[in-house]
Amino acid sequence: MFSRRGHADVKKSTQKALDPRKDVLTRLKHLRALMDAVDGSELKQFFEINYSQIYFIFYENFITLETTLKQKGNKSQREELDSILFLFEKILQLLPERIFYRWQFHSIGSVLKKLLHTGNCLKIRCEGIRLFLLWLQALQTNCAEEQLLTFACLVPGFPAVMSSRGPCTLDTLVSPLPSLSDAKIYPEEITPLLPHTSGEKIVEDPTCYFLQILLKYMVIQVSLRITGLLAASLEWKNKENCDTGFKFLFALFRKYYLPHLFPSFTKLTNLYKPVLDIPGLRPKPAYVSATCNNENVYSTKIPYMSARVAFIKWVVNFFLEKKYYTATQNSKNGGEVLPRIIQTVGGSVQDKNPEVENIVQSDQEKNHSNNSILSERRLSDSSFCSIEEQHRAVYEMVQQILLSTRGYVNFVNEVFRQAFLLPSSDISSTEKVVKVYRKWILQEKPVFMEEPDMKETGQDDDGILDQSTETDNKHVWY
């Protein structure tokens, strides 16, 4: 919307953005110009000084546009909504310390409910999930029960979550039923911001789709210790808070979603005290024959199978070898960038169009999910997964977290064990886990598989004692 300008223009935009005599829309435009011209610590300092006025500009524009959208909802107003939500995102990113202490707690919660409403179009719902996860990362342990329940209900298709208020779904949390009391004051009615249209694409498997969206934003919005390295992360003053965002979200995911994805998931898997007994025979999955595109296919009818496979692939991607590439295309109005994907197949290098690749990959994954032909499936020789260059650091950080403690190591290995329990129709996911183990054994051993460092035998007793203590510390996972 605005290009980068000199110091005089920045000062002018600052004055107009903070001028209470101007209307809120004009102030928003100058504030957006300021955000485009200034970044890093200077922008955070500006937000911290003028946080009250900035939130006033956002909220007034939001509620004004909300009323207009319900009446008209044309293209220009939707572009204005993008600009307003961009400011909202910056508020969440640059003011995590205030948000942690529940600053504007109910107001922000109300805005996010309007974005998360199940009657919204798909794009707005995904944007709501992304912004909600930013808010939850900032709140962490200071969030209320309602925020935890909302996180548990972000992915549709799972059973209602039990709570002190009874069974909860996203609909009941966003738009609770009015009480039957004689109270004359009721909560604001939450309605869709941009309802989905009749021509909008319908997701075939909403559970798997929204689960992948949730997992994606749990990772790429993680705060990093290097300020400004990732545009979508929170900017904490205390960089020690950077690791806690992912750990907090991941702990919630394991609590609310894992029992449904893996009913047989066990905490008894212990790489440090393994049980070497041969397990009993598992019951054979019941396949049901069906016809799809004039082809005989089979369905296992196991609940949440596609979502289970998606989560296993998500975990595997942190440990497969990656190729990082910068973006070659920018979507309009600052949307997500599309990476150039190169895969090594049979010793040769092939360039692939990312859009075509996504379509082909989705078709292949459909064939490898519940509706699959039970036949031997050959994968490409590539063991690479392509990650955008801007997400390199955060993927490396999450990988380190997943191998940082004994609990995480045992968790990862239990997920891999679950991959070996998948039906044969999803053999592709099992083969990816085998590739990870092959990499760990033959190429790059993770820390938990390394042998203790053996120093020279000529060391004295004190030296040996010091070395022993150092080795123990290296292999003890807290």
Side-chain angles (χ1 to χ4, degrees):
M1 182 184 295
F2 297 92
S3 60
R4 295 185 176 274
R5 300 177 290 184
H7 176 73
D9 289 334
V10 170
K11 186 176 181 181
K12 185 177 180 181
S13 294
T14 303
Q15 292 173 347
K16 292 185 177 181
L18 300 178
D19 188 351
R21 295 170 297 180
K22 296 188 178 297
D23 62 276
V24 289
L25 183 58
T26 301
R27 297 177 71 183
L28 173 66
K29 291 179 180 178
H30 288 287
L31 186 56
R32 179 63 192 265
L34 179 65
M35 291 187 293
D36 289 342
V38 181
D39 52 15
S41 58
E42 293 182 2
L43 188 60
K44 179 174 176 64
Q45 183 179 10
F46 174 79
F47 269 66
E48 288 176 340
I49 296 173
N50 304 285
Y51 63 91
S52 182
Q53 291 194 60
I54 291 173
Y55 192 83
F56 171 79
I57 294 171
F58 155 71
Y59 193 73
E60 288 297 314
N61 277 282
F62 181 83
I63 59 176
T64 301
L65 184 64
E66 179 187 12
T67 304
T68 310
L69 282 172
K70 293 177 181 179
Q71 298 172 353
K72 300 177 182 179
N74 54 40
K75 184 178 180 181
S76 62
Q77 290 164 338
R78 299 190 180 198
E79 292 176 354
E80 188 178 342
L81 176 62
D82 291 338
S83 183
I84 294 173
L85 293 182
F86 179 75
L87 174 57
F88 186 41
E89 178 182 359
K90 287 299 179 183
I91 291 173
L92 298 175
Q93 290 175 359
L94 300 176
L95 300 173
E97 289 84 7
R98 290 194 172 276
I99 293 173
F100 176 76
Y101 291 106
R102 295 196 176 189
W103 172 70
Q104 298 291 349
F105 183 74
H106 296 289
S107 178
I108 293 176
S110 175
V111 171
L112 288 170
K113 284 181 179 180
K114 295 173 183 178
L115 297 174
L116 291 172
H117 197 290
T118 55
N120 281 320
C121 63
L122 200 60
K123 179 182 177 182
I124 294 297
R125 290 183 66 182
C126 293
E127 187 72 0
I129 291 176
R130 187 177 71 85
L131 296 173
F132 176 78
L133 292 180
L134 276 177
W135 188 46
L136 204 56
Q137 278 192 72
L139 285 172
Q140 295 189 28
T141 54
N142 269 355
C143 65
E145 182 190 28
E146 184 179 47
Q147 283 72 55
L148 300 178
L149 295 174
T150 301
F151 178 88
C153 298
L154 288 177
V155 180
F158 290 104
V161 182
M162 300 305 298
S163 68
S164 59
R165 63 181 74 180
C168 294
T169 64
L170 190 58
D171 288 326
T172 60
L173 290 169
V174 170
S175 302
L177 296 176
S179 61
L180 300 179
S181 63
D182 296 331
K184 296 182 179 180
I185 300 178
Y186 296 98
E188 174 191 11
E189 181 183 2
I190 305 296
T191 58
L193 197 61
L194 275 180
H196 51 77
T197 60
S198 57
E200 184 182 2
K201 181 180 68 173
I202 300 176
V203 180
E204 292 185 5
D205 188 348
T207 300
C208 184
Y209 177 83
F210 281 101
L211 179 73
Q212 290 175 313
I213 292 293
L214 177 63
L215 293 172
K216 172 185 175 182
Y217 290 138
M218 278 173 54
V219 173
I220 67 174
Q221 295 191 132
V222 169
S223 300
L224 295 172
R225 295 180 182 271
I226 305 176
T227 304
L229 188 59
L230 191 64
S233 63
L234 302 181
E235 291 286 347
W236 292 95
K237 288 182 180 178
N238 182 5
K239 298 305 176 185
E240 297 299 323
N241 293 330
C242 295
D243 296 349
T244 59
F246 173 78
K247 292 178 180 178
F248 178 74
L249 295 180
F250 194 52
L252 293 181
F253 183 90
R254 293 170 64 176
K255 176 181 179 180
Y256 291 111
Y257 290 103
L258 209 65
H260 301 299
L261 293 176
F262 303 99
S264 62
F265 200 92
T266 176
K267 295 182 180 179
L268 299 178
T269 297
N270 192 335
L271 202 65
Y272 304 91
K273 294 181 180 179
V275 177
L276 302 179
D277 298 338
I278 298 177
L281 293 176
R282 293 181 291 117
K284 183 179 179 181
Y287 292 97
V288 179
S289 177
T291 303
C292 181
N293 296 329
N294 297 324
E295 185 178 18
N296 290 329
V297 295
Y298 295 87
S299 173
T300 59
K301 298 300 181 182
I302 299 176
Y304 313 119
M305 178 55 67
S306 58
R308 183 185 307 181
V309 171
F311 179 74
I312 291 174
K313 290 181 178 178
W314 178 78
V315 174
V316 165
N317 281 343
F318 291 106
F319 305 105
L320 284 179
E321 189 168 349
K322 303 172 185 64
K323 282 187 176 292
Y324 299 93
Y325 293 101
T326 56
T328 56
Q329 283 183 310
N330 281 327
S331 59
K332 192 176 181 182
N333 294 329
E336 293 185 355
V337 292
L338 298 176
R340 178 170 175 261
I341 298 177
I342 299 181
Q343 282 190 329
T344 306
V345 181
S348 62
V349 177
Q350 297 182 349
D351 288 11
K352 299 191 177 184
N353 183 301
E355 295 180 355
V356 175
E357 174 70 10
N358 288 339
I359 296 173
V360 173
Q361 185 176 2
S362 63
D363 290 338
Q364 290 176 347
E365 289 176 355
K366 289 177 185 177
N367 291 333
H368 286 296
S369 61
N370 286 359
N371 297 326
S372 304
I373 301 176
L374 297 180
S375 60
E376 182 180 359
R377 305 188 181 279
R378 301 291 297 174
L379 296 177
S380 67
D381 294 335
S382 170
S383 61
F384 300 104
C385 57
S386 180
I387 304 297
E388 294 176 14
E389 178 66 33
Q390 63 173 334
H391 298 148
R392 174 198 288 263
V394 72
Y395 268 83
E396 291 175 352
M397 190 188 82
V398 173
Q399 177 184 339
Q400 292 173 2
I401 291 175
L402 293 178
L403 296 178
S404 63
T405 67
R406 287 192 173 192
Y408 279 126
V409 170
N410 289 331
F411 172 83
V412 169
N413 280 276
E414 172 60 19
V415 172
F416 288 173
R417 187 185 77 87
Q418 292 289 331
F420 289 102
L421 303 181
L422 293 174
S424 55
S425 55
D426 293 293
I427 192 66
S428 62
S429 299
T430 308
E431 290 182 353
K432 287 185 177 181
V433 172
V434 173
K435 287 181 179 180
V436 174
Y437 281 130
R438 178 184 177 87
K439 176 188 173 184
W440 284 352
I441 295 172
L442 300 180
Q443 298 176 13
E444 302 175 12
K445 289 184 179 180
V447 177
F448 70 88
M449 290 180 62
E450 290 181 358
E451 294 290 342
D453 294 333
M454 301 302 294
K455 304 294 183 182
E456 294 181 0
T457 56
Q459 292 178 323
D460 55 21
D461 293 342
D462 293 337
I464 294 175
L465 181 61
D466 292 340
Q467 173 203 327
S468 154
T469 306
E470 186 176 324
T471 300
D472 289 343
N473 289 337
K474 180 178 180 182
H475 289 275
V476 169
W477 305 88
Y478 299 100

